[in-house]
Amino acid sequence: MRVLLTILLAAFTYGCTVEPEPLVYGTDMCHTCKMTLIDPKFGAEIVTKKGKVYKFDDVNCMLGFYHSDFEEQGNIAHLLVVNFAQPTKLIDGTNSWYLKSELIRSPMASGIAAFATDEEYLRYKKEWKAILMSWGETNTQFK
């Protein structure tokens, strides 16, 4: 009986892993603005601890949802953004760097692009005359 319980517990735990989904450009719709995701250099995703996935076409749509309390922030397992330097690649939004500039043509006009590393954002910062922001600074931009 103990072995059966151990197997069932292991199967249940394995079956409950919460993973992000790839963004499907041209098909997926932004949860906030309902526009189709079209630019692979931009996008975001929130995954809850229960496995519910919300997809967004721009950081401002994701942050608007994040601050709406539609899902409690404590229930979020993954908060992801697309790495501008590696289109379609989702990275941890809370550990990313953000550039803000009027020259960044994001889908919903946030003017924000996300990057995983210093080396990536440094290529664009001067060209765009951009302001460098952390997650906390970006997060407060859309409260």
Side-chain angles (χ1 to χ4, degrees):
M1 182 66 161
R2 181 179 274 180
V3 172
L4 180 59
L5 286 173
T6 302
I7 291 170
L8 288 173
L9 180 60
F12 178 74
T13 302
Y14 179 75
C16 291
T17 57
V18 177
E19 296 296 326
E21 294 177 0
L23 299 176
V24 181
Y25 292 89
T27 301
D28 285 339
M29 291 181 65
C30 176
H31 184 78
T32 301
C33 70
K34 307 303 183 211
M35 292 181 63
T36 303
L37 278 65
I38 57 167
D39 191 338
K41 292 181 182 176
F42 300 95
E45 185 171 287
I46 290 177
V47 183
T48 68
K49 291 178 180 176
K50 290 185 178 182
K52 176 73 175 157
V53 177
Y54 299 96
K55 298 179 180 187
F56 307 94
D57 63 347
D58 200 345
V59 171
N60 62 342
C61 286
M62 185 260 303
L63 285 170
F65 175 83
Y66 181 72
H67 292 292
S68 74
D69 292 327
F70 185 82
E71 288 284 349
E72 290 184 29
Q73 292 179 10
N75 291 333
I76 294 174
H78 300 284
L79 197 148
L80 306 160
V81 293
V82 170
N83 184 353
F84 185 90
Q86 296 179 34
T88 73
K89 182 177 181 182
L90 290 167
I91 56 177
D92 179 359
T94 63
N95 288 315
S96 298
W97 292 105
Y98 298 87
L99 291 180
K100 182 172 182 171
S101 170
E102 292 178 5
L103 298 176
I104 298 172
R105 303 286 180 226
S106 59
M108 293 303 292
S110 69
I112 293 179
F115 297 88
T117 67
D118 299 358
E119 295 81 23
E120 291 173 341
Y121 76 71
L122 284 171
R123 291 188 304 191
Y124 299 95
K125 187 176 184 304
K126 186 175 181 181
E127 175 187 340
W128 290 339
K129 298 177 180 84
I131 297 168
L132 176 65
M133 298 186 303
S134 66
W135 163 250
E137 293 165 320
T138 304
N139 187 15
T140 58
Q141 289 282 312
F142 297 99
K143 275 192 172 180

